[in-house]
Amino acid sequence: MRRGWKMALSGGLRCCRRVLSWVPVLVIVLVVLWSYYAYVFELCLVTVLSPAEKVIYLIFYHAIFVFFTWTYWKSIFTLPQQPNQKFHLSYTDKERYENEERPEVQKQMLFDMAKKLPVYTRTGSGAVRFCDRCHLIKPDRCHHCSVCAMCVLKMDHHCPWVNNCIGFSNYKFFLQFLAYSVLYCLYIATTVFSYFIKYWRGELPSVRSKFHVLFLLFVACMFFVSLVILFGYHCWLVSRNKTTLEAFCTPVFTGGPEKNGFNLGFIKNIQQVFGDNKKFWLIPIGSSPGDGHSFPMRCMNESQNPLLANEEPWEENEDDNRDYPEGSSSLAVETET
């Protein structure tokens, strides 16, 4: 009976956690919906008197709004990509690993299993990176998210504002969301500012629209400052071909730690996120090269790295677990194992 109550309580807590995790997203959605009402109805249709100015404001606003909401949707609902089956331990290997009590033998077993895999990063002690929760050998740049309870390919961070783990499958969409968010706030602030001054000087009648226009400028400026800082930081990460986790914890390769191990040069670093075709760079369509399991590395020449040599990569395999406490910044939370 007592065990049943504990299981029910645990299930209830998990359910509450899932529901509460959507609160930040709900807040953003409500703010965006209010900003749409305030800008379209209270500013453009009520406050702005010139028909030509109304049309121009509304056309450009809706063009930005479409891309802003589109990229936000993609950031939220694009599922994080997990390692494929060849990185998972087979049932036999799992039994052997768990039944072995000697750490040095376990370490050697993982080395043997990883020989046929494109794995070049190691733990701080030089061991093969292994997740004992998902029972898999971690691909390069893959980490375990304690919030999503899964290993995520090229994990960057877990963001509460999209209630999703940002990684290989949706990092491009997240960057685009930040860019269009900055543009959205900047456009609102610049077009609202002249009417803010008119209301401030008393040149316009004090009606209901006054509150919406004044508050719209304040909110747009407040979000703009926060977003431009975050967007600038991620632009720096992209220019160095780093993830947020790699910026805080230098990756260790078979030859030792190397903070610029994935840095291929400015242009190639950008292409690693947005792809080779520039016409897709501004559109939230998946165009990142590769499958998220292997990445070109600066420390390897073409004869060693199949991704640089453009050869057939790795044959199928038949057959450090370190916890980072959940930390938060103004707009993102990084959680990784």
Side-chain angles (χ1 to χ4, degrees):
M1 180 66 72
R2 184 176 297 177
R3 184 179 179 182
W5 277 106
K6 286 183 178 180
M7 292 179 63
L9 180 61
S10 177
L13 290 175
R14 285 196 298 269
C15 182
C16 290
R17 183 179 179 179
R18 284 196 295 267
V19 172
L20 291 175
S21 66
W22 286 100
V23 171
V25 176
L26 180 61
V27 170
I28 295 297
V29 170
L30 291 177
V31 171
V32 171
L33 289 176
W34 168 80
S35 70
Y36 183 90
Y37 166 78
Y39 190 90
V40 173
F41 294 95
E42 299 296 343
L43 177 70
C44 293
L45 299 183
V46 176
T47 305
V48 178
L49 299 179
S50 169
E53 191 175 356
K54 288 178 189 277
V55 172
I56 293 173
Y57 278 13
L58 288 172
I59 289 176
F60 282 98
Y61 173 82
H62 282 94
I64 298 171
F65 184 80
V66 167
F67 280 94
F68 166 63
T69 53
W70 187 5
T71 54
Y72 190 47
W73 175 274
K74 294 284 283 187
S75 298
I76 294 173
F77 294 106
T78 301
L79 296 177
Q81 191 170 339
Q82 301 178 63
N84 62 32
Q85 195 60 38
K86 71 178 181 180
F87 288 88
H88 289 257
L89 266 61
S90 65
Y91 179 79
T92 303
D93 289 336
K94 180 181 174 183
E95 287 290 310
R96 286 175 51 222
Y97 181 82
E98 291 180 346
N99 292 331
E100 180 57 59
E101 297 180 355
R102 293 168 294 178
E104 65 277 5
V105 177
Q106 287 184 323
K107 183 177 179 180
Q108 185 59 46
M109 289 171 63
L110 293 178
F111 269 117
D112 294 338
M113 296 174 197
K115 285 180 180 178
K116 295 182 180 181
L117 298 173
V119 175
Y120 294 99
T121 53
R122 298 289 185 260
T123 65
S125 62
V128 172
R129 299 169 64 243
F130 177 71
C131 180
D132 58 7
R133 299 182 185 182
C134 299
H135 300 102
L136 58 82
I137 295 174
K138 297 178 184 177
D140 294 341
R141 315 185 84 174
C142 174
H143 300 276
H144 186 94
C145 178
S146 59
V147 178
C148 297
M150 68 175 72
C151 282
V152 178
L153 294 178
K154 196 185 177 183
M155 178 178 170
D156 188 87
H157 68 283
H158 186 93
C159 181
W161 301 102
V162 299
N163 190 30
N164 201 0
C165 202
I166 306 302
F168 176 78
S169 62
N170 59 0
Y171 186 59
K172 175 189 174 181
F173 307 143
F174 178 73
L175 278 175
Q176 291 173 326
F177 164 62
L178 292 180
Y180 286 118
S181 297
V182 169
L183 184 60
Y184 182 74
C185 294
L186 181 63
Y187 180 79
I188 289 177
T190 53
T191 52
V192 167
F193 184 72
S194 60
Y195 291 94
F196 170 83
I197 297 298
K198 290 180 181 180
Y199 274 121
W200 187 268
R201 292 177 177 176
E203 297 176 10
L204 292 174
S206 182
V207 292
R208 183 187 63 181
S209 298
K210 178 179 180 179
F211 164 79
H212 290 283
V213 171
L214 299 183
F215 198 60
L216 190 60
L217 179 64
F218 171 76
V219 172
C221 291
M222 179 183 68
F223 275 94
F224 174 79
V225 172
S226 301
L227 288 166
V228 78
I229 293 172
L230 184 61
F231 178 60
Y233 175 68
H234 278 278
C235 286
W236 176 81
L237 290 176
V238 171
S239 71
R240 298 292 190 274
N241 199 6
K242 293 183 178 182
T243 64
T244 300
L245 293 174
E246 291 166 356
F248 283 95
C249 186
T250 301
V252 179
F253 295 85
T254 52
E258 175 55 62
K259 64 179 181 180
N260 293 314
F262 296 104
N263 192 342
L264 307 175
F266 183 74
I267 299 299
K268 289 185 178 180
N269 290 343
I270 293 176
Q271 291 173 343
Q272 282 294 297
V273 176
F274 293 96
D276 299 328
N277 197 333
K278 294 182 180 179
K279 69 181 181 181
F280 294 130
W281 283 15
L282 300 179
I283 304 174
I285 297 175
S287 59
S288 301
D291 60 1
H293 294 83
S294 305
F295 301 91
M297 286 173 281
R298 181 180 182 179
C299 59
M300 300 181 66
N301 58 41
E302 291 189 357
S303 62
Q304 292 174 301
N305 194 337
L307 292 177
L308 293 178
N310 200 25
E311 299 173 354
E312 268 314 300
W314 310 94
E315 62 182 31
E316 288 291 330
N317 187 20
E318 295 180 355
D319 308 288
D320 108 50
N321 206 19
R322 180 173 25 174
D323 284 333
Y324 288 78
E326 184 171 348
S328 63
S329 62
S330 58
L331 289 175
V333 173
E334 286 76 36
T335 54
E336 182 266 345
T337 300

